[in-house]
Amino acid sequence: MTRLTRFAVAPLHTMTRRLADVASGRLSPDLVVTGARVLSTYSERILKGREVWITGGRIAAVKGAGAARKIFGDVALYDAAGGIVAPGLVDPHIHIESSMVTACAYAEAALLNGTTTIFCDSHEIGNVMDVAGVEAMLEDAREAPLSIFLTVPSTVPATSAALETAGGDLTPDKIAGLFDRWPEAVALGEKMDFVPVTMGDERSHAILAAALKRGHPVSGHVYGREFVAAYAASGVTDTHEAIDRDIADDLLDAGVWVFLRGGPPTTPWHSLPQAIRTITELGASHKRTAVCTDDRDADDLFLFGLDWVVREAVKAGLSPEQAWSMGSLHGATRFGMENDIGGLGGGRRADLVLMDDNLKPQCTWYGGELVVEHGKITPRLDAALSQRYQYPKAAYNTVKLPAELKLTPAMPAKACTVNAIRTALPGITLIHEKITIEPARDWPTLFERHGLCFVTVVERHGKSNGNVAYGLLSNFGLSRGAVASSVGHDSHNIVIAGTNEADMQVALAAIKERQGGVCVVAAGKVRALVPLPIAGLLSNKRITEVAEEVRQLKKEWAEAGCTIPYMGFNLIPLSVIPEIRITDKGLVLVPQMELAPLFE
């Protein structure tokens, strides 16, 4: 049996005669999905009494219900029973690594949510393993039962060697090589260093040039209306970081696509309700907007897929037809693939979703193959998911630490000022808080008085013999033990928060032993752990297993008192977002991009 990958459907140029014969009634289709209402993303209407003729994994035609039986007599039928058939969803911006599973494993949850195509930016594994990591993920994507395209990581490292130690360094030449070797590399990934871009930084613009001179679009990441003009002038033509109505409006008028990001409301990623107001309040057209997920862990991917984001757009005031088009055709159009995906026109891939009136997917066809039926994966998909790509041995050896490390700073001998990091929901921005502390006999006294805990970043790529930087978190709420993660964006060093050295050491040892992970420790014991042995970022298990591990992690995380979710905690070292961060080099003030001492 043919492997269930995107390559199982032949290119259109090899199938045009066959498709024309089927559409004209001279050749019987392989499958007819009949008795449906069809959501047309082209005219943004729901057409009643239709059926979809499929052959060779592509759509031959959309006809009136019952036409195939009249013409061909006996034909394979799937009765949609009056449900809505729509094109599979297209996610224009995601990070597979955020789900903590491989691309092959990610496909399971995506297809359950009606998503059949994704555009991923693999800058996380690029920060750990350089080009080798990106290419391993591309090999993984080729074996997945999902259409996966790459937006090549553009900002690795996120800042510079003076401010953090990363495992990778994707230069303009390396990025050019990825474009030239991999047809799946269709765009440049989010250009996170928007300040250097707008200031004309030579390396940043050389990376932009590597994409632009090959005719590839450039994805963006920008905060601040004052940067929009120069950013657009630099060739950036999409962003998922529009956090409110006004910057979304500026971006659209500057010719920049806006990807309305929907995220679980408990995370920092739910900006859609504010940004969509450029359409619902200011009258902007939705034609250059799409919806995206950006980041989802394994648990949230089942609950808050791209279909959920589409429904959030409807809740915000768009029609179902508009919202589904923004979830399918618009993303395809942005990347020049609207002739292959995103709609139910003749010649397009037979990536279909059958859903109820609430836009909740019930069945999914991928390349004409039924992979989800009545909300459950089919045996065909289950078999495909058992044949996951095996990452190279080097990917399982990326946590390289010295034998001994001290994880807490020395007590100050006299009264001083602390440059503390204050956390606040939703968790993206961190506040620079100066706290005057008096001499005390012990840390617990100071912690209780000022609402503090330790935060430490440990370099784990084996490049510095274990750089360790110390900080103090304010308002994080950790009441016991320690929490730790090897997914400290974007250099993916180990970030640990704790109330005491002993529990922090237990957390570090657990991550080292498993070559990566996220954990919660209390009273010297690991209470929850998601092992991430592949690059310290990914599990090698099925997504259902990882989702259960994540649910247990979230439970223990909350019981430890943490006020921001673990995905927000992972952002604490992300030194491109204001106001203050901590990397393995120390406290970083943003946007000044200067190091600051812990005590002064």
Side-chain angles (χ1 to χ4, degrees):
M1 184 178 288
T2 304
R3 285 288 301 274
L4 187 60
T5 71
R6 69 182 176 90
F7 303 103
V9 177
L12 178 59
H13 72 270
T14 68
M15 292 183 59
T16 53
R17 293 179 66 192
R18 176 180 174 184
L19 287 163
D21 284 344
V22 173
S24 300
R26 294 186 296 271
L27 184 66
S28 178
D30 299 334
L31 173 68
V32 174
V33 180
T34 192
R37 289 170 289 158
V38 165
L39 194 157
S40 171
T41 55
Y42 305 122
S43 62
E44 293 188 350
R45 295 178 297 172
I46 293 180
L47 310 173
K48 297 179 181 179
R50 297 294 196 274
E51 62 186 26
V52 182
W53 293 7
I54 298 169
T55 193
R58 291 186 178 274
I59 297 169
V62 176
K63 302 274 190 173
R69 180 63 63 84
K70 290 179 181 178
I71 297 172
F72 304 109
D74 188 24
V75 65
L77 295 176
Y78 191 97
D79 187 0
I84 299 171
V85 172
L89 292 170
V90 176
D91 199 331
H93 178 77
I94 71 111
H95 303 282
I96 289 175
E97 298 97 319
S98 294
S99 68
M100 300 187 287
V101 296
T102 64
C104 289
Y106 181 96
E108 180 172 356
L111 292 167
L112 282 165
N113 296 329
T115 300
T116 51
T117 301
I118 62 174
F119 293 85
C120 71
D121 182 341
S122 56
H123 69 76
E124 285 91 342
I125 202 167
N127 267 287
V128 177
M129 296 180 62
D130 204 84
V131 169
V134 178
E135 294 194 320
M137 183 159 280
L138 281 163
E139 295 283 6
D140 184 6
R142 284 185 171 182
E143 295 191 21
L146 191 71
S147 295
I148 302 176
F149 298 94
L150 177 73
T151 62
V152 177
S154 67
T155 318
V156 175
T159 53
S160 70
L163 296 177
E164 59 186 329
T165 306
D169 180 17
L170 293 184
T171 63
D173 285 344
K174 290 178 181 178
I175 288 169
L178 284 166
F179 279 128
D180 293 342
R181 289 192 300 274
W182 294 87
E184 296 92 335
V186 297
L188 189 67
E190 57 177 305
K191 203 74 188 78
M192 297 176 64
D193 55 339
F194 60 91
V195 175
V197 168
T198 57
M199 296 298 292
D201 175 75
E202 183 176 353
R203 172 178 162 130
S204 297
H205 282 263
I207 288 171
L208 293 169
L212 293 171
K213 69 183 176 183
R214 288 169 172 78
H216 294 306
V218 175
S219 297
H221 167 121
V222 63
Y223 291 93
R225 299 175 73 184
E226 67 273 24
F227 297 107
V228 169
Y231 205 47
S234 300
V236 179
T237 44
D238 75 51
T239 182
H240 57 285
E241 295 287 359
I243 61 173
D244 59 36
R245 178 191 71 174
D246 295 330
I247 193 170
D249 210 53
D250 291 350
L251 288 160
L252 289 175
D253 280 329
V256 178
W257 279 80
V258 171
F259 298 159
L260 299 166
R261 180 177 58 200
T266 57
T267 71
W269 287 274
H270 197 46
S271 52
L272 179 148
Q274 293 301 317
I276 203 170
R277 292 164 60 204
T278 181
I279 299 168
T280 58
E281 293 181 5
L282 299 182
S285 170
H286 71 295
K287 68 182 180 181
R288 286 178 63 88
T289 62
V291 292
C292 75
T293 58
D294 192 8
D295 295 284
R296 291 289 190 277
D297 67 33
D299 178 34
D300 284 342
L301 188 57
F302 285 103
L303 302 172
F304 303 101
L306 191 59
D307 61 316
W308 177 84
V309 184
V310 167
R311 292 192 294 274
E312 287 291 293
V314 175
K315 188 185 299 184
L318 298 189
S319 72
E321 297 87 347
Q322 289 175 321
W324 199 271
S325 296
M326 288 164 56
S328 53
L329 179 62
H330 292 202
T333 302
R334 191 280 177 271
F335 291 109
M337 296 187 186
E338 68 273 24
N339 291 333
D340 206 46
I341 56 176
L344 300 184
R348 276 63 171 184
R349 280 184 56 100
D351 297 340
L352 276 62
V353 178
L354 173 61
M355 56 193 175
D356 62 22
D357 286 355
N358 296 317
L359 305 188
K360 181 68 175 174
Q362 307 298 313
C363 302
T364 305
W365 287 264
Y366 177 63
E369 297 265 13
L370 184 62
V371 291
V372 174
E373 186 171 25
H374 306 312
K376 306 289 184 182
I377 66 170
T378 63
R380 177 79 165 109
L381 179 57
D382 190 52
L385 293 168
S386 68
Q387 303 177 49
R388 296 193 298 278
Y389 169 74
Q390 297 299 309
Y391 277 75
K393 289 183 179 180
Y396 290 86
N397 184 33
T398 64
V399 177
K400 303 169 184 177
L401 302 175
E404 294 184 11
L405 292 169
K406 183 170 170 44
L407 299 180
T408 55
M411 282 283 292
K414 59 179 75 173
C416 63
T417 299
V418 173
N419 286 305
I421 301 170
R422 183 176 180 83
T423 66
L425 289 172
I428 293 181
T429 57
L430 299 175
I431 300 160
H432 184 190
E433 184 173 37
K434 287 183 174 288
I435 300 174
T436 300
I437 63 170
E438 62 286 357
R441 282 193 294 269
D442 54 36
W443 284 111
T445 301
L446 285 175
F447 284 0
E448 184 176 355
R449 189 172 299 159
H450 297 287
L452 299 171
C453 71
F454 297 116
V455 62
T456 300
V457 173
V458 178
E459 191 270 311
R460 59 104 162 176
H461 304 293
K463 292 192 170 184
S464 70
N465 197 32
N467 275 349
V468 179
Y470 306 117
L472 292 174
L473 284 181
S474 166
N475 199 46
F476 184 56
L478 184 66
S479 59
R480 66 181 192 193
V483 296
S485 173
S486 58
V487 192
H489 295 292
D490 259 338
S491 289
H492 299 293
N493 289 308
I494 297 170
V495 55
I496 311 167
T499 60
N500 64 86
E501 173 90 19
D503 281 332
M504 293 171 74
Q505 290 286 357
V506 171
L508 181 64
I511 288 176
K512 181 179 180 181
E513 179 184 352
R514 291 160 180 81
Q515 282 295 300
V518 186
C519 67
V520 178
V521 171
K525 295 183 178 179
V526 176
R527 301 294 297 269
L529 171 67
V530 182
L532 302 174
I534 302 172
L537 301 172
L538 306 174
S539 172
N540 52 10
K541 301 175 184 176
R542 284 275 289 260
I543 194 168
T544 48
E545 298 175 75
V546 180
E548 181 56 39
E549 292 174 347
V550 170
R551 283 190 283 274
Q552 181 63 27
L553 175 78
K554 290 177 178 176
K555 177 177 176 291
E556 292 292 340
W557 193 273
E559 290 184 5
C562 303
T563 55
I564 60 173
Y566 82 90
M567 290 186 77
F569 174 76
N570 287 341
L571 298 177
I572 287 174
L574 184 52
S575 54
V576 293
I577 301 179
E579 298 174 343
I580 186 170
R581 303 280 152 170
I582 181 170
T583 71
D584 68 299
K585 297 294 183 73
L587 295 170
V588 180
L589 301 180
V590 185
Q592 301 96 313
M593 306 312 286
E594 297 174 353
L595 292 172
L598 175 57
F599 303 116
E600 59 182 25

